[in-house]
Amino acid sequence: MPESEPWEYTLYIPNDLRAVTVARRTLRLILTMHGLIRLTDTGELLAAELVSNAVRHTTGPAALRVRWSAGVLRIGAWDADPEPPEPPGELGALGEEGRGLALVRACADLWGWQPLARHGNRGKYVWCELAAA
């Protein structure tokens, strides 16, 4: 049974494609330890797409944030580029490039992005949500 108390983890990652695998495995461990095993496969896919976009399309560091609150799992990726993400296309019409956010849109219950500014640093946070029910 998943915990009812909210929790949050943040994994800071370098701009390195290996970070995608680290993020996936870290997310799987977090969800397993919190009894949310049924969300791991979809959660891993979503985290991999968000982190992959953050690492591939920016030059600075990034972070994966995983939060559980009120029966909803929020997975997000922060990067240092304040530009909005490219809008997702249609999955069937896309090649290998450009399908990340289309997968996120198709698999998540909700997704979005927001610009961030903190201590003079700018960037964006792209997130998605999965309901436990």
Side-chain angles (χ1 to χ4, degrees):
M1 187 78 176
E3 296 178 22
S4 60
E5 292 296 315
W7 49 259
E8 182 174 313
Y9 294 86
T10 302
L11 174 66
Y12 294 95
I13 54 178
N15 191 286
D16 183 332
L17 284 175
R18 293 173 289 194
V20 176
T21 301
V22 172
R24 284 180 73 127
R25 291 182 180 171
T26 300
L27 180 80
R28 179 169 284 277
L29 180 61
I30 291 168
L31 295 180
T32 300
M33 296 304 294
H34 283 283
L36 296 167
I37 295 169
R38 69 186 176 287
L39 298 178
T40 56
D41 290 338
T42 304
E44 272 189 289
L45 173 68
L46 296 170
E49 294 300 336
L50 295 177
V51 170
S52 177
N53 282 347
V55 171
R56 294 175 90 195
H57 301 296
T58 66
T59 58
L64 171 70
R65 183 178 297 156
V66 183
R67 185 179 76 195
W68 172 259
S69 181
V72 175
L73 178 68
R74 178 175 274 203
I75 302 167
W78 167 85
D79 65 56
D81 182 359
E83 293 299 314
E86 291 292 323
E90 294 302 317
L91 273 176
L94 298 173
E96 191 64 27
E97 290 292 317
R99 64 185 177 101
L101 285 180
L103 280 170
V104 170
R105 182 180 62 191
C107 295
D109 296 317
L110 189 63
W111 82 276
W113 79 278
Q114 61 197 61
L116 295 178
R118 186 186 217 174
H119 308 296
N121 297 321
R122 297 178 60 202
K124 69 177 166 296
Y125 181 63
V126 182
W127 54 268
C128 62
E129 293 182 346
L130 291 173

